[in-house]
Amino acid sequence: MGAMVRKPIRVLADDVINKIAAGEVVDRPASVVKELVENALDAGASAIDVEIVAGGKTLIAVSDNGFGMDRNNALLAIERHATSKIGGVGDIEKIATMGFRGEALAAISAVSRFRMRTRPAEELSGTELVMAGGKLQDVRASGCPPGTLVEVRNLFFNVPARRKFLRSERTEEAYAREAFIAHALANPETGFRLKCDGRTVSALPCNATVGQRLGDLFPSIALADLRPVSGCSGAVRVTGFVGLPSATRADRSGQRFFVNRRPVAATLLSGAVRDGYDTLVPKNRHPVVFLFLELAPELVDVNVHPAKREVRFFSPAAVREAVSSAIRQALRAPGNVFGGVDRALPLAAVSPSRPPGTARGRGAGEIEHPVRISLPGPGRKSFARSRESMLPLAGQAPGAVRAPWSWRRFIGQIGNLYAILETEDGLVLMDFHAAHERVLFEEFMALSASGDVRSQALLMAETVVLPPADADCLRRNLSALQKAGFGVSHFGRDTFLVDAVPACFGSAPARGLILEIAGALNEASDRAKGIAAVEEIVARSACRAAVKARTRIEPQEMERLIERLERAEMPYTCPHGRPIIIHFSFQELAKRFGRTPPSGESAGNG
Ligand code: ADP
Ligand code: MG
């Protein structure tokens, strides 16, 4: 241990304070991009240009056509705790702007060579400020366009410890682009441009919808794999897009959340997504989501972190429920992919990237497709027209969700595993084992929800002896199982008597079923409680009872299965998240066969 020497206590000099404080707001070029873009948005800009050179280590420049500042305000803006956005403590409780702490410009200019040119539209000339390491070097009148331009050079030139911690130019550029993408997504009515090392990477037109912006930013995302979300529960409005369970990722990098247009990270929201998808995606996969939450500013606290990356909700449970139910609803509606937007992809030559370290190998910004599934949906014009003349299927309430494909021709089956169907829109391959699982699962869940599960008595009651831990688990969940249609009673110690199973399981051997259920319950008991646990059990059991793979089934039987699948709420994946259907559109087939696509469906622009 080094010798400790008592040193006198000193009040730090302003420039030291500023450098320390700067570290909380600015830790890398991406945070400069974020702060400057937020200022431009707060200034009401309709066009924002971002330029970075060498990953932002050499230059970050952001210009906007917002309301600008006069000379006095420009000088005030670079002071710490100088803001035009709040006036007092009361305002903190209902913040409607992106900024409010009055720290960003002071922080950024403290750790860089900084130049700002700004002009309010109503004034004839503007003001130019030059600073270095927090020291004002020059202020002069400047002939500049209305709006504001901020240039930040040599970030951390005077804080070598920080500069050393910056990563490679490519990495820093990726982070900066991610910040750009987040704000561009959240503000589709604003035009954005991004230039990296002199090359235009993104040019995003103003007055776009979220859907269009999404398409512009991520040309690699198949729009057919997204469903629009639009839900309102209580004080929370949830909009955006969620990916079909067939297009998931191994990590959460495809999940973007916005609260009142602020890009945020919140574990609560990932949890809500998990709830919404429920059994539709396997545990280790993560759906792609773009979710925008809107709620009264006083119901969310954005002042948790200097960089405002995190937010706290006044009523987390309500937010969670709003998000998960909006997702559930979206996934169940096989409707129009982009709600009225008829623009086809790809729209722009943009290649957004994600921070390396979150991406491994895969093309940045891309959704990973284990298999490409896109059910024919009315998103395409030709299909929309043909669908309008169709009546809802029998047995469906008017206004209820319609089947994802209303017409199909069963062509045959191959490998005793897959059915081949022709639909309005192309060719569908169906894993009928997986389809059967889904059908049984949903039929069962519907009955179970209405407390209407029919049991089928076994010819002979079976006794099942379980390992002590499983037995204990089953004992505790006995009533849930009985409600689910299992005739199970405790028969002393670790023994149970099974005299009935849910009718939809047909001739599934009761003993194996109970053993499996007990095992599953035991595994899941601490986490997935109550209904969730039962759902899981049912899914597993349904799987067991489903058509055994590799058994041939008769055409009429197949027709019936398809009809039942048509009525399913989630016909895309089996209860374990495996895909049921792989669809090849005529358009895709034409592309593969080198035919030119039919007119009106040209792949380039719609
Ligand atoms: P905050 O955004 O938290 O208020 P900043 O340090 O980022 O703090 O900005 C300080 C002030 O400077 C803002 O409140 C705003 O009045 C003004 N300002 C900053 N950037 C711009 C801009 N691009 N256009 C107009 N005014 C700006
Ligand atoms: Mg700001």
Side-chain angles (χ1 to χ4, degrees):
M1 277 235 160
M4 300 286 211
V5 181
R6 174 148 29 96
K7 292 183 180 169
I9 297 174
R10 277 182 298 198
V11 173
L12 295 172
D14 265 1
D15 70 317
V16 181
I17 295 176
N18 281 348
K19 274 194 205 170
I20 294 173
E24 288 180 7
V25 182
V26 184
D27 59 352
R28 59 178 1 135
S31 33
V32 175
V33 170
K34 167 189 175 291
E35 294 293 342
L36 297 181
V37 168
E38 288 186 357
N39 280 349
L41 289 166
D42 283 343
S46 63
I48 300 174
D49 279 18
V50 179
E51 181 176 2
I52 59 180
V53 174
K57 292 182 185 183
T58 305
L59 172 74
I60 304 154
V62 175
S63 67
D64 66 62
N65 62 354
F67 48 60
M69 288 165 270
D70 61 18
R71 185 189 159 99
N72 284 341
N73 277 312
L75 282 166
L76 267 178
I78 51 169
E79 296 288 330
R80 264 190 94 200
H81 309 304
T83 180
S84 57
K85 298 168 194 174
I86 58 174
V89 187
D91 294 343
I92 297 182
E93 281 161 30
K94 41 179 200 305
I95 285 160
T97 49
M98 300 300 291
F100 60 88
R101 298 173 61 108
E103 284 179 329
L105 292 186
I108 294 166
S109 60
V111 294
S112 68
R113 298 186 196 282
F114 179 95
R115 198 165 76 104
M116 180 163 82
R117 272 200 277 167
T118 182
R119 183 191 136 195
E122 65 277 10
E123 291 193 17
L124 291 176
S125 90
T127 307
E128 175 166 346
L129 288 183
V130 180
M131 298 179 74
K135 298 202 175 62
L136 188 60
Q137 303 201 307
D138 194 12
V139 191
R140 63 178 150 213
S142 154
C144 56
T148 303
L149 161 72
V150 174
E151 287 176 357
V152 176
R153 288 176 203 276
N154 305 353
L155 185 66
F156 299 134
F157 80 96
N158 57 343
V159 198
R162 257 289 151 84
R163 185 138 181 120
K164 204 173 68 194
F165 274 101
L166 292 183
R167 297 180 53 196
S168 72
E169 288 176 12
R170 271 188 52 203
T171 305
E172 294 299 341
E173 180 183 307
Y175 279 112
R177 280 205 205 183
E178 185 60 29
F180 173 88
I181 287 170
H183 284 99
L185 256 180
N187 299 279
E189 58 294 299
T190 309
F192 281 89
R193 235 187 357 209
L194 174 64
K195 241 191 198 177
C196 294
D197 298 323
R199 196 168 54 91
T200 299
V201 200
S202 287
L204 309 167
C206 61
N207 295 323
T209 63
V210 174
Q212 289 166 334
R213 186 52 59 92
L214 213 50
D216 285 347
L217 280 167
F218 306 98
S220 57
I221 291 184
L223 298 198
D225 287 341
L226 295 175
R227 287 289 171 270
V229 177
S230 172
C232 200
S233 68
V236 191
R237 209 166 93 85
V238 185
T239 56
F241 292 92
V242 292
L244 284 183
S246 49
T248 58
R249 283 184 178 173
D251 57 32
R252 290 204 177 83
S253 59
Q255 305 193 341
R256 288 183 166 84
F257 302 105
F258 304 85
V259 173
N260 292 343
R261 299 213 176 201
R262 195 184 293 281
V264 298
T267 35
L268 171 95
L269 297 175
S270 325
V273 168
R274 173 63 52 207
D275 289 353
Y277 279 81
D278 201 17
T279 58
L280 296 178
V281 293
K283 295 248 148 63
N284 57 345
R285 305 289 304 175
H286 303 278
V288 171
V289 306
F290 301 93
L291 288 175
F292 299 84
L293 277 68
E294 282 163 72
L295 60 174
E298 53 270 29
L299 295 181
V300 44
D301 180 5
V302 291
N303 195 19
V304 181
H305 185 273
K308 312 179 208 90
R309 271 181 218 108
E310 268 167 50
V311 292
R312 272 196 216 123
F313 297 105
F314 184 71
S315 32
V319 170
R320 194 175 171 129
E321 177 53 31
V323 171
S324 60
S325 67
I327 292 178
R328 250 175 255 130
Q329 225 178 9
L331 292 175
R332 277 160 193 192
N336 206 338
V337 174
F338 265 169
V341 179
D342 56 350
R343 242 167 103 187
L345 289 184
L347 290 170
V350 187
S351 49
S353 53
R354 291 179 297 146
T358 57
R360 229 164 296 141
R362 223 178 311 131
E366 231 165 276
I367 293 186
E368 180 188 319
H369 295 275
V371 266
R372 261 199 52 79
I373 303 178
S374 53
L375 284 174
R380 293 222 177 73
K381 283 182 223 151
S382 58
F383 187 67
R385 229 178 295 119
S386 67
R387 168 160 292 188
E388 267 155 25
S389 58
M390 277 170 209
L391 294 169
L393 288 170
Q396 279 186 318
V401 165
R402 277 188 278 188
W405 67 91
S406 323
W407 177 89
R408 84 276 143 177
R409 187 160 63 93
F410 174 55
I411 294 174
Q413 51 175 295
I414 53 172
N416 286 337
L417 283 172
Y418 310 110
I420 305 176
L421 313 170
E422 183 195 345
T423 71
E424 294 100 329
D425 194 49
L427 170 76
V428 164
L429 294 176
M430 181 181 90
D431 177 331
F432 52 78
H433 183 243
H436 199 174
E437 282 178 42
R438 167 55 61 188
V439 162
L440 288 180
F441 177 70
E442 286 200 9
E443 289 174 354
F444 182 88
M445 289 313 291
L447 290 174
S448 161
S450 59
D452 227 11
V453 179
R454 268 186 306 130
S455 295
Q456 178 178 306
L458 297 174
L459 286 180
M460 248 203 297
E462 286 183 44
T463 50
V464 181
V465 183
L466 296 177
D470 290 345
D472 184 45
C473 221
L474 199 63
R475 256 199 311 273
R476 279 186 283 111
N477 291 283
L478 220 47
S479 63
L481 278 165
Q482 285 159 350
K483 191 167 161 276
F486 292 93
V488 195
S489 46
H490 189 211
F491 206 61
R493 290 190 72 84
D494 302 335
T495 308
F496 297 84
L497 192 70
V498 184
D499 57 13
V501 294
C504 66
F505 291 131
S507 57
R511 195 192 143 75
L513 205 56
I514 295 300
L515 268 170
E516 186 171 345
I517 287 168
L521 266 176
N522 200 7
E523 268 170 42
S525 60
D526 57 329
R527 199 173 34 82
K529 292 197 171 83
I531 297 167
V534 175
E535 274 195 26
E536 178 142 359
I537 299 153
V538 171
R540 286 181 194 226
S541 324
C543 174
R544 181 174 280 256
V547 190
K548 286 277 172 294
R550 305 212 137 270
T551 51
R552 192 167 183 85
I553 67 172
E554 296 306 315
Q556 308 95 287
E557 238 180 303
M558 188 72 79
E559 279 288 346
R560 268 206 311 271
L561 179 58
I562 296 166
E563 275 162 26
R564 284 158 83 190
L565 187 66
E566 271 183 343
R567 284 192 291 269
E569 285 188 339
M570 191 56 230
Y572 308 104
T573 58
C574 80
H576 312 275
R578 272 198 307 118
I580 293 176
I581 313 162
I582 297 178
H583 170 246
F584 298 93
S585 66
F586 282 127
Q587 196 185 1
E588 233 171 295
L589 292 174
K591 214 159 94 192
R592 297 258 188 127
F593 284 109
R595 287 173 176 275
T596 40
S599 59
E601 293 200 345
S602 59
N605 30 54

